[in-house]
Structure formats: C-alpha cells, structure tokens
Amino acid sequence: MDPRARSMLRLALPALLIGIASSVVLVVVVGLAAQLQRLAWVVLPHGLGITPNTPWWTMAMLTLTGVAVGAIVRYAPGHAGPDPATEGLIGPPLAPAVLPGLLAALVLGLAGGVSLGPENPITAINIALAVALGRLLLPGIAVAEWVTLAAAGTIGALFGTPVAAALILSQTVGSDAERPLWDRLFAPLVAAGAGAMTTALMVQPDFSVPLPAYRGAQLLDLLSGSVVVVVAVLLGLAAVWLFPRLHRGFQTLKHPVLMLGCGGFLLGLLGVLGGEVTLFKGLAEMKYLTLTAADRGVPGLMLALLCKLAALLIAAACGFRGGRIFPAVFIGVALGLLMHALLPMVPASLAVACAILGLVLVVTRDGWLSLFMAAAVVPDLRLLPVLCIVILPAWLLLAGRPLMLIRHRAESAAQ
C-alpha cells in the first residue's frame, strides 16, 4: 500500500469514532439543557400559576442562573475552565478534571436563558475527551491530531455538515509541501462527516429562516449588500470596543458569584425589555423574529437587535460559559430584517445574509465560517456570488482591528 494511503488509513477509524462521539456529546448536552429549559420556563411556572414571561420570573431565572454558574466557576475543580472571554472556538486541551464543572456551567447557562451558544464549551469538552482517551489508547498519535479530529467532529456536528469543518480547518491543518491539502484534510473530513451524519440522524438541524426567495443577482445588489455588510461590521466593531471595558468592569467584582450574579441580573433586565425572543442561544428565536418582523416594525426590530447585542456582550464578559457565534447570527438576522424594513428595495434575503456575514466575520474573523453561516441561514445559491464579493470591503475594514477576545498584557505586548 502507498505510504500516503497507509498514513491516512491509520487515522480513519479513530476519526470516525471521534466524529460520532462528538455528535453524541453535543446532542445529549443540548437535549439535557432543553429539558431543563422546559422545566424552568414552562412546567415550573405553570405549576405555580405564573405566566412564564412575567418580568419578575425572567429576572429571577436569569439572576439565579448567574449565581448558580458563579458558584460552579468558583468552587468546581479547575474553575470550569479558563475565562471564556480569552478563548476562541478551538483551544488547547483542558484537563479532564475541569470537564464536569464546565459541562454543568454550560447546561445551566443554556437552560437559564443566557445569550450564548454551546459551540465553544462543547468543542473544548470533546477535545479534552479525545486527547485523554487518544493518548491512553493510541499514544503514537500526536496530541495535535486528536485536537484536530475532535474539533472537526464537533464543528460537523454543530452545523450539520462537514463543509463548515473543511473550510475552517483548511486554514489550520498546517502546510506541508510533501502532503497535498486533501491528504491533510482526509481524517478531519471523516470526523466531520461522521459528526454531521450522526447529528442529522438524531435531530436534523435546520438553521434556515423563513424569507422570500432571492430574485437573483443584480448590479445594485452589490452596492446595497456592501452597505449592509459595512453597517454590520461597524456595529460589530462597536461591540468589540465595548467588550474589554465590560470585562474589566465585571473583573472589579472579583468573586465569580458576584460577577455572574450581576451579569444574570442585567441579562434579566434585557430579557424583560426585549422579550423572550432575545433570550437563549438564538437559533429558534431568530425564526420567530423573522415570522413576526412585519408586526414588530422598525422600533421592535431595533429593540430586539440592541437587547440581544447587549446580552451577548454582558454574558461573554461576565464569565458565562458559551460561544458567541450563534447569538451573532441572531443579531445578524435582526439587523438584516431592520435594514430591509428601513430600505424595502433591498431584498430581505440579501439583507439578512449580508448582515450575518458581517457580524460573524467580526466575532470569528473567519471568512469561510462567515460565508457558510450566511448561506446556511439563507440557503439560496444565487446569493453566493454576491456574498463572495461583498465580503471583500468587510475584510478590508477589519484588517488590523482587534478581535472579540481578551488578551493578556504580555501576549498583547508580544504582538
């Protein structure tokens, strides 16, 4: 057998198993959080004769969630992982002892209505499990290989397709003149495909929102799409500017229970102001927002947009465990619907796709993932040529701009 084929085959079975396991972990964790969410927001209030969206109940639920997560962060081994404000989607493997606290903090945050997604903690959990088990069972395989396979499997499971993993990992699998890109992507694609297929068999994820079909590309769409993308990027950069200032403000409280309790209280206020549609990770909520956009009008869409943006900043800055991609997608949907309401000549599908593209680009600084999320939420192939062009001014505008991450002073000085 050719050495290249032997090298790829060596990782095929581990990649397949890791992809399946990554999806199972994701589905079980999100399913558990959904059951707790139903208990906290439907069963319990109805049993007590309380309307679930009563302002004081929203305030109480978010505040108690903050206190509970703060207690886990303070007292769990490893403090439930590093400060999420300092971590991207794919990070170094965590110690296994950290995982129970991180898992508990994630489930409580998702169930309690915190405006963060599961992507970062789930990826960290799957990477830690893959590295720990991989080093035990197959110590000859490098840690970096296990990290890549677990990240690929999780990304495939999260987005229901291996395409997202292939696009993201094509930038991170390293360069080797002796090995073609497809050789390097072989095992990660197996993991991503297995993760995506397992998720599809179990829950059939759907990110699309109900919008009128795109009429087809016109020259004017390049201008209007660029305007929407630039507005989205500027809004995102304003959030990036506020992020470290909010983080420093919460850090002055020092104790995690105080930090997250205050953060939960502020999220409760925003939930009361913006309504239930601005709570939780945002995937189901963005579909509801799209269906009710006409009734909300410009003021209602503006309120939902600002409340969700503020909730994302507060939740990420005060220490809740979660990811920023899914809430950014909701914000993009809200901004796109708002732009269409202000400028009806801009097709709603174009406005939403371009707004998602801009917001996710700011949050992740990953062009492939931004294009993928825009195409996943507005799945019309006729939009792709326009999106591939309007991303260029956004990328130029973001060149050299800071990320939505808190960097240590020594690291920042080194760069």
Side-chain angles (χ1 to χ4, degrees):
M1 181 181 292
D2 185 88
R4 283 173 51 191
R6 188 182 301 114
S7 175
M8 290 185 284
L9 188 61
R10 179 176 64 102
L11 288 174
L13 181 58
L16 183 66
L17 295 176
I18 286 174
I20 294 171
S22 297
S23 175
V24 170
V25 171
L26 169 67
V27 172
V28 169
V29 170
V30 173
L32 176 59
Q35 291 302 314
L36 287 178
Q37 176 183 327
R38 182 176 179 277
L39 177 65
W41 292 90
V42 179
V43 176
L44 187 56
H46 283 170
L48 297 173
I50 301 167
T51 303
N53 57 0
T54 299
W56 74 264
W57 184 263
T58 300
M59 293 288 302
M61 285 302 306
L62 269 300
T63 304
L64 289 175
T65 297
V67 170
V69 173
I72 292 171
V73 171
R74 173 63 181 86
Y75 298 109
H79 306 294
D83 182 352
T86 66
E87 295 293 313
L89 180 61
I90 302 173
L94 302 175
V98 175
L99 302 188
L102 179 59
L103 180 61
L106 170 63
V107 170
L108 286 178
L110 291 174
V114 175
S115 293
L116 293 173
E119 58 274 17
N120 288 40
I122 287 291
T123 304
I125 289 169
N126 284 336
I127 287 174
L129 291 174
V131 169
L133 293 174
R135 294 178 69 179
L136 178 65
L137 300 175
L138 294 171
I141 297 177
V143 169
E145 295 277 14
W146 296 118
V147 170
T148 300
L149 294 180
T154 306
I155 294 169
L158 277 165
F159 301 115
T161 171
V163 174
L167 294 175
I168 295 170
L169 293 173
S170 64
Q171 305 173 90
T172 61
V173 292
S175 58
D176 184 352
E178 299 296 324
R179 297 177 64 201
L181 177 62
W182 273 100
D183 283 21
R184 287 175 270 137
L185 283 176
F186 178 82
L189 275 175
V190 171
M197 182 170 289
T198 304
T199 299
L201 291 172
M202 298 174 73
V203 295
Q204 296 183 342
D206 178 19
F207 295 96
S208 64
V209 295
L211 288 170
Y214 182 52
R215 64 174 184 246
Q218 299 182 12
L219 286 178
L220 185 60
D221 292 345
L222 295 178
L223 175 61
S224 56
S226 297
V227 169
V228 174
V229 167
V230 168
V231 170
V233 169
L234 293 176
L235 180 65
L237 286 176
V240 170
W241 183 84
L242 286 170
F243 187 54
R245 290 157 177 81
L246 280 172
H247 185 264
R248 284 198 297 269
F250 281 111
Q251 291 296 312
T252 61
L253 299 176
K254 300 185 182 300
H255 199 287
V257 174
L258 282 176
M259 292 164 54
L260 284 140
C262 289
F265 177 78
L266 293 175
L267 291 179
L269 288 176
L270 290 170
V272 171
L273 181 62
E276 190 174 345
V277 73
T278 61
L279 300 177
F280 307 104
K281 61 181 180 287
L283 293 186
E285 289 73 22
M286 70 186 186
K287 297 176 186 288
Y288 180 71
L289 181 71
T290 305
L291 290 171
T292 59
D295 296 330
R296 294 174 184 272
V298 170
L301 291 171
M302 178 72 76
L303 181 63
L305 168 66
L306 295 178
C307 285
K308 190 67 173 184
L309 181 62
L312 167 59
L313 287 170
I314 290 170
C318 74
F320 280 106
R321 271 46 184 172
R324 299 184 278 276
I325 297 175
F326 288 168
V329 172
F330 176 97
I331 295 167
V333 171
L335 176 61
L337 293 172
L338 175 63
M339 295 295 289
H340 173 67
L342 290 170
L343 302 168
M345 72 287 297
V346 180
S349 52
L350 174 68
V352 169
C354 290
I356 292 170
L357 178 68
L359 263 300
V360 176
L361 195 61
V362 174
V363 169
T364 66
R365 217 54 59 89
D366 189 308
W368 287 124
L369 181 59
S370 304
L371 282 167
F372 172 80
M373 291 308 304
V377 176
V378 190
D380 193 325
L381 291 177
R382 291 173 296 180
L383 278 167
L384 279 178
V386 180
L387 295 177
C388 288
I389 294 174
V390 301
I391 194 175
L392 301 179
W395 193 255
L396 291 174
L397 189 58
L398 286 170
R401 304 292 181 180
L403 301 171
M404 190 177 276
L405 286 174
I406 305 300
R407 297 190 182 278
H408 299 297
R409 290 182 180 178
E411 180 184 352
S412 299
Q415 295 181 351

